[in-house]
Amino acid sequence: MELRTLRYFVAVAEELHFGRAARRLHMSQPPLSRAIKLLEAGLGTALLRRSPAGVELTDAGRTLLHEARALLDHADRIRAKVARTTLTVGVLGDHGAARIAREFRRRHPGVEIVVREADLTDPTCGLRSHQVDVALTRGPFDRTGLRTRVLRADPVGAVLRADDPLAARERITTADLDDRDWFQFPEGTDEAWQGYWNGGRPRRGPVVRGVQECVQTVLWNGSVGLAPLGHDLGSGLRVVPLDDMAPSPVVVAWREDDPLTRAFVEAATQIVCTDTA
């Protein structure tokens, strides 16, 4: 039973007329009739009742029509994935994106990459809303329905103004910051993500969406937030290591395991693991 024969059958079953189905398929009627007869012979049952006025489906024909539509739709989706030449990548932070992009282009020079830079309100970078195919981001966040691979884990610290009394310390804990305002994300932001960047407990403070808003809030208001160690946030700020915070994982996340997405995941894994080796 070939996909082409199933397409022939679906056309006849939907048109209920061999002539109209042949025109729809851009072929002549005799080979179409022969293909359907061979299909019926192969299945050992009649699919159509023929008459001068046209055809009607038998019970077996109605069953096959339902199943054939689903099968053909699935086949079309597979073909589209395999033939796809554009990949949309969501990015939150850098995480070695330049080297990943260079390696991916080397392996797949004919693929166009569309980049969507996410803000701090969506750690999946648009995966759940189907805006991207794959995301290079960091956790933690709700991974329900997503495939993920942890590339590395970064220790985090408190972002403080350089003249803050705590900024002179080598290390602090979240308890040292309990009396401070903390960054907040807009309502509806992933709870696991919000909870982590609030040090594991409810906090109060200004609502921000992007990294620069966080930086300016610290500089102007003395608010506090968290950031991975080693990031240059500009003059006037210091990131002090936190002893009681678990590292934040750098993650590549995706929904569907098609060849192009899998190729990106493998390139990201190789580059990041090489960088951290």
Side-chain angles (χ1 to χ4, degrees), residues 29-270:
Q29 186 172 332
L32 176 59
S33 298
R34 287 195 297 270
I36 299 302
K37 287 180 180 178
L38 287 173
L39 177 62
E40 290 177 314
L43 293 172
T45 186
L47 302 172
L48 304 167
R49 295 190 187 93
R50 296 154 175 83
S51 72
V55 297
E56 62 179 18
L57 291 169
T58 63
D59 289 342
R62 280 188 287 272
T63 299
L64 181 60
L65 177 60
H66 175 75
E67 297 295 338
R69 282 170 169 163
L71 181 60
L72 292 171
D73 180 65
H74 185 59
D76 287 342
R77 283 187 280 115
I78 291 174
R79 185 179 293 109
K81 289 178 181 179
V82 171
R84 185 156 57 96
T85 58
T86 301
L87 187 72
T88 304
V89 180
V91 178
L92 179 58
D94 188 313
H95 316 311
R99 289 194 61 199
I100 295 170
R102 185 164 59 249
E103 176 63 17
F104 187 81
R105 286 199 308 272
R106 185 186 69 79
R107 298 183 186 184
H108 304 276
V111 175
E112 177 188 3
I113 297 292
V114 177
V115 178
R116 179 181 184 270
E117 186 172 0
D119 60 29
L120 297 173
T121 66
D122 180 13
T124 74
C125 304
L127 271 178
R128 296 200 187 282
S129 54
H130 297 267
Q131 294 176 286
V132 301
D133 302 305
V134 61
L136 189 62
T137 181
R138 68 169 59 250
F141 54 84
D142 178 11
R143 302 184 187 186
T144 303
L146 302 177
R147 301 170 184 265
T148 61
R149 180 178 295 179
V150 176
L151 303 178
R152 70 167 189 265
D154 292 337
V156 299
V159 182
L160 301 171
R161 207 160 51 192
D163 60 0
D164 190 297
L166 294 178
R169 297 193 189 180
E170 291 299 318
R171 310 186 72 83
I172 59 176
T173 68
T174 54
D176 295 320
L177 304 167
D178 281 348
D179 61 341
R180 306 294 187 92
D181 285 343
W182 287 54
F183 302 153
Q184 300 298 302
F185 301 132
E187 185 176 353
T189 298
D190 186 288
E191 292 182 4
W193 175 255
Q194 175 78 69
Y196 176 84
W197 297 106
N198 273 182
R201 53 166 288 187
R203 309 280 183 175
R204 304 183 70 174
V207 175
V208 298
R209 301 183 67 91
V211 172
Q212 283 307 308
E213 289 182 25
C214 298
V215 169
Q216 294 302 318
T217 298
V218 174
L219 287 172
W220 287 88
N221 299 319
S223 302
V224 64
L226 308 184
L229 299 182
H231 283 228
D232 182 11
L233 297 178
S235 60
L237 296 175
R238 181 160 183 249
V239 182
V240 182
L242 282 161
D243 279 336
D244 57 343
M245 282 293 299
S248 171
V250 174
V251 174
V252 59
W254 67 104
R255 288 189 323 274
E256 300 183 27
D257 212 17
D258 61 83
L260 203 53
T261 299
R262 171 58 65 177
F264 182 89
V265 171
E266 295 303 327
T269 301
Q270 181 176 340

Side-chain angles (χ1 to χ4, degrees), residues 18-37:
F18 276 92
R20 290 194 297 269
R23 288 192 293 273
R24 169 173 155 181
L25 294 166
H26 305 288
M27 62 187 299
S28 61
Q29 186 172 332
L32 176 59
S33 298
R34 287 195 297 270
I36 299 302
K37 287 180 180 178

